[in-house]
Structures are given as C-alpha cells and as structure tokens.
Amino acid sequence: MGKLDGHCLCGSISYSCEEEPLFTAICHCKNCQRQTGTSFSIVVGVPDDALKIEGDTLGTILTHGEEHPDQDSRRSFCSACGSPIVTRSEAMAGVAIVKAGTLDDATWLQPQVEVWGNSAQPWVEIDETRPRMPTGPPRA
C-alpha cells in the first residue's frame, strides 16, 4: 500500500503514515454517526507511533464507548473546519483510527469488516462479502 497522506477540509491539519494499515473497517457506532453526521464512518487503523500529524488547529474531545463506557476514546479533529481526523481508543491501545474521508487517495480502500452492526441504520444493506460484527472488536 505504501504511504498514507491526508488532510482536513481547510488544509490546516495534515498527516502521514509510512506503515501499512492494520485494518480497514466500517464503523456503525452511534459516536461515529454523530461525529460524521451520517450513518457510518470508514476508517483505517495504523500503528499510533507511525502517524505523524502537523498543524496547530487540532482539537480533541473525550467520548465514551457504547459497550464499554469505562473506556474512553480521544477523537481529534480540525478545530478550524471540523473535519474528524483520528480516534484513539483505550480499547485498541497503540492504534490510531484514521477517518478515511480525509485521505488524499482512498481509491485503494476496501473495508475488511464492519463493527457495531447492532447500531447500523436499518436501511444500510449488509454486504455478504465482509463480516458485520454486532459490537466492536474484542477488548484488549
């Protein structure tokens, strides 16, 4: 796959990652629905220490997970334009979950799995070629 590059809508935040993605997924959780303003979020997991973010408008909020409210997620976004950039969850320590809509090139992207299927909107059809987990990945 090679290098991942991306940026927010206004260009104030940019990022890069030299490592191969750990996974690609569709997340149907309610928090992703609220953050994206749509029915799901397409994400790419990368090693957190390999993700390099530049820019001075990066904001972060803490959210609580659906199944494990005791485990927080830090959702980072551009405070200038509102674009969600990356989520870091206690449930997946060491992984940065990049919002695929901010990638410069997402043509290679093919989600491998869907998570939080129990929260999926009823009109989002199931793709028989990829598994849909009812909740999130197993706890670390």
Side-chain angles (χ1 to χ4, degrees):
M1 160 67 255
K3 185 176 179 182
L4 297 178
D5 293 308
H7 64 276
C8 66
L9 183 62
C10 72
S12 295
I13 299 292
S14 62
Y15 63 85
S16 64
C17 180
E18 300 281 345
E19 296 291 325
E20 292 291 319
L22 302 170
F23 60 86
T24 59
I26 294 174
C27 183
H28 296 279
C29 81
K30 292 294 185 185
N31 285 343
C32 278
Q33 290 180 35
R34 286 182 179 94
Q35 185 182 37
T36 62
T38 189
S39 56
F40 53 81
S41 181
I42 302 174
V43 297
V44 179
V46 299
D48 193 16
D49 59 359
L51 182 65
K52 308 301 178 212
I53 300 176
E54 296 181 3
D56 58 1
T57 61
L58 193 69
T60 301
I61 62 167
L62 240 51
T63 61
H64 304 291
E66 286 182 38
E67 186 175 80
H68 306 294
D70 57 324
Q71 291 188 336
D72 291 332
S73 291
R74 293 184 341 264
R75 293 174 177 270
S76 297
F77 59 95
C78 175
S79 62
C81 67
S83 296
I85 303 293
V86 64
T87 298
R88 294 176 173 98
S89 174
E90 290 177 4
M92 297 183 73
V95 177
I97 304 166
V98 175
K99 300 297 184 172
T102 62
L103 290 168
D104 289 343
D105 177 18
T107 59
W108 60 270
L109 187 66
Q110 182 64 41
Q112 303 159 313
V113 65
E114 297 184 31
V115 294
W116 296 104
N118 286 346
S119 300
Q121 295 298 318
W123 47 266
V124 176
E125 294 182 19
I126 295 176
D127 181 337
E128 299 296 333
T129 66
R130 106 181 118 239
R132 181 182 279 188
M133 300 169 64
T135 61
R139 267 179 106 154

